[in-house]
Amino acid sequence: MRNWLVLLCPCAVGVALHLWLLLSCPGGPGRHPAGPLAFFPQWKLKHYDVIVGVLSARHNHELRSVIRNTWFKHLKQHPALSQRVLVKFIIGAHGCAVPVEDREDPYSCKLLNISNPVLNQEIEAFSLPEDVPSVLSEDRIVSVNFRVLYPIVITSLGVFYEADGVGFQRNITVKLYQAEHEEALFSARFSPPSCGVQVNRLWYKPVEQFILPESFEGTIVWESQDLQGLVSRNLHKVMVNDGGGVFRVITQAGEGSLPHELTEGVEGIAGGFIYTIQDVIDTYRNVPAKLLNFYRWTVESTSFDLLLKTDDDCYVDLEAVFDRIMQKKLDRPNIWWGNFRLNWAVDRTGKWQELEYPSPAYPAFACGSGYVISKDIVQWLASNSERLKTYQGEDVSMGIWMAAVGPKRYQDSLWLCEKTCESGMLSSPQYSPQELSELWRLKELCGDPCRCEER
């Protein structure tokens, strides 16, 4: 019996405490406190003038170490600022065992299965087997969809056609479209006076070269300008050279197929393209979501007036930032302080390819080396984080989100957008760990990282 009493006593005490807390809440039983700190009102969140969020990748250990030993260390030892600023690195909660360069796409942790790719050599994507005859079909428009799994550059577009000693006698247009876009990225027109170069059983013409990045989805459309149809075959009768797995043909009925309205004419292949495999890696696509998670954590876990966002490869002078805040009276609501890019064109291809934003230009957005936003803006971002759509980069995403809010923008060119060194700069981007250490060494030695005659 005593043993049972020993076991039951803690439970009884816990139940009694829980009932007392509920009954003592404002509004009586049934009303829950606003948060865990409501039970203990004497426990208040520590307040900071500025919270600094430093975007960082999990593998950037050396850059974070340099920050801890330079401006972050200086901040902690500063008699006036050490208690006014909280610095946090923004890093994903879970790592992926598959290195970024080995993933099928930047959103997943799926292994990219590429076998022995040959970099920077031209490869023919499609070809007809020797035993397949070249005969005209009834189809005047034929198209094929594909997805890029590793960056490639298409150098030429081509058509199937057997000249049989009489020369090229057709008028055919080949166009490449990006998914969900009506305007072709590039095209080639074949005609008797301008038929390009024959390679095996295809005729090719060069096109303007763009890097088609990982996750690019597109459609190649062959269209006959004559009354005759095209020399075309279905996908199963064409040899596909995918470079070891760098792109994948997508069938209309297959998994991951493109929407039907993006496909023109009959599904099939009426030519090909020549491409090279590029040694380029895309690692930026998940950063906007990571930033929104940080904003939500900041609102839920801290008390502050302003938030400064920067990157782990940036030189930052927090003392200069505080001086500027006081001089310009920037510690007020609805403020967005940074160096803004205006009417920045949306890239449809390449490293900064934007697949989701339909306009030709982005709204104003601040350079990623650093910007400051007020608490009310952070609260809006946090409360809407589940609904806000993320785009190709965190800086342009922020500009699109802020277009809905209309904050007061304070333009300041001392947030540098490019890797340069200027006296009085607030931040400067794209430095290596060694360069950051040297900048801070000169700053401590002479007070100016850019102009210092060593003593």
Side-chain angles (χ1 to χ4, degrees), residues 60-354:
N60 285 354
H61 306 289
E62 192 175 1
L63 281 168
R64 290 194 294 274
S65 178
V66 168
I67 289 174
R68 291 187 181 101
N69 289 311
T70 54
W71 61 263
F72 191 9
K73 180 180 178 181
H74 176 77
L75 171 70
K76 290 191 294 185
Q77 297 173 348
H78 196 285
L81 299 182
S82 59
Q83 300 301 312
R84 300 173 62 189
V85 182
L86 175 66
V87 178
K88 289 290 184 180
F89 290 102
I90 309 171
I91 306 170
H94 303 286
C96 175
V98 180
V100 172
E101 61 268 26
D102 295 332
R103 300 175 197 172
E104 185 167 299
D105 65 73
Y107 299 103
S108 73
C109 197
K110 186 177 179 181
L111 179 65
L112 175 62
N113 187 19
I114 297 179
S115 56
N116 302 318
V118 180
L119 300 178
N120 302 314
Q121 290 190 17
E122 292 194 332
I123 303 169
E124 284 191 271
F126 307 124
S127 59
L128 289 174
E130 293 296 330
D131 57 347
V132 174
S134 296
V135 294
L136 293 177
S137 69
E138 297 180 354
D139 305 315
R140 294 181 58 202
I141 301 178
V142 175
S143 63
V144 65
N145 302 320
F146 68 99
R147 177 181 294 122
V148 175
L149 303 179
Y150 193 88
I152 64 173
V153 171
I154 292 180
T155 60
S156 301
L157 294 176
V159 297
F160 291 138
Y161 184 70
E162 294 274 5
D164 294 328
V166 297
F168 194 93
Q169 299 297 316
R170 298 297 307 278
N171 292 279
I172 300 171
T173 301
V174 189
K175 296 180 179 180
L176 185 142
Y177 294 88
Q178 182 175 323
E180 301 184 2
H181 290 79
E182 296 182 357
E183 185 177 349
L185 280 177
F186 43 81
S187 62
R189 183 179 176 86
F190 296 81
S191 63
S194 178
C195 55
V197 177
Q198 186 174 15
V199 179
N200 299 321
R201 302 169 74 180
L202 286 94
W203 295 75
Y204 288 104
K205 296 190 79 171
V207 294
E208 186 176 359
Q209 297 182 17
F210 296 96
I211 295 177
L212 303 185
E214 181 180 329
S215 301
F216 175 91
E217 293 186 350
T219 302
I220 296 181
V221 179
W222 294 268
E223 182 175 1
S224 171
Q225 307 299 321
D226 307 319
L227 296 177
Q228 298 171 295
L230 297 163
V231 176
S232 65
R233 290 290 179 271
N234 64 42
L235 302 178
H236 304 293
K237 293 186 178 180
V238 175
M239 297 173 62
V240 179
N241 187 349
D242 62 7
V246 299
F247 76 91
R248 181 182 300 157
V249 173
I250 306 172
T251 61
Q252 293 180 24
E255 180 181 357
S257 61
L258 297 176
H260 178 71
E261 62 268 18
L262 301 181
T263 303
E264 293 190 45
V266 176
E267 181 182 60
I269 294 178
F273 58 87
I274 295 176
Y275 68 97
T276 61
I277 304 172
Q278 298 297 297
D279 191 12
V280 178
I281 300 167
D282 184 358
T283 61
Y284 301 97
R285 306 290 172 171
N286 64 338
V287 173
K290 189 165 66 171
L291 192 63
L292 286 174
N293 287 333
F294 174 70
Y295 291 150
R296 189 165 59 243
W297 173 88
T298 303
V299 169
E300 293 172 353
S301 306
T302 64
S303 174
F304 64 98
D305 296 325
L306 300 170
L307 185 144
L308 187 161
K309 175 267 159 189
T310 186
D311 293 340
D312 60 7
D313 63 351
C314 295
Y315 169 90
V316 179
D317 188 339
L318 281 179
E319 285 187 78
V321 170
F322 267 88
D323 290 343
R324 200 81 163 166
I325 290 172
M326 295 300 104
Q327 292 170 5
K328 303 298 181 180
K329 295 181 172 55
L330 297 171
D331 53 341
R332 58 183 187 266
N334 198 36
I335 191 76
W336 188 15
W337 170 32
N339 192 358
F340 296 93
R341 297 189 189 274
L342 305 177
N343 300 315
W344 196 262
V346 175
D347 287 337
R348 299 305 182 191
T349 59
K351 180 179 180 181
W352 308 112
Q353 178 198 38
E354 177 59 72

